[in-house]
Amino acid sequence: MLVYPLDLTTGIDETPAMTLHDAQPEADQVFGRTVAITPFNGNNVIAVGADNEVFLYFRTALYDETSP
């Protein structure tokens, strides 16, 4: 799933800010069915819905920006 920055004056940026991946993909899971941003402990997190599951993504200073 690609995440694009949104600017309220210019709209959606054409360059993705990041790519999100399901940690354990399964067939017919419908990853990315819904997407929301919500505050958690003073930071925004991205919630991605799938079939009967929700994945939360947040940034941390413990790891770099690349996925394994």
Side-chain angles (χ1 to χ4, degrees):
M1 164 180 273
L2 299 175
V3 178
Y4 294 89
L6 174 64
D7 185 299
L8 296 178
T9 57
T10 60
I12 299 173
D13 193 312
E14 61 185 49
T15 304
M18 67 181 73
T19 303
L20 303 178
H21 303 278
D22 180 358
Q24 296 175 330
E26 298 172 9
D28 300 323
Q29 187 177 44
V30 196
F31 179 76
R33 182 178 196 166
T34 57
V35 178
I37 297 176
T38 185
F40 179 74
N41 285 342
N43 293 303
N44 286 329
V45 296
I46 298 174
V48 179
D51 190 22
N52 297 319
E53 294 182 276
V54 174
F55 300 87
L56 293 177
Y57 294 87
F58 55 92
R59 289 188 184 221
T60 176
L62 299 176
Y63 305 102
D64 62 15
E65 291 294 321
T66 59
S67 60

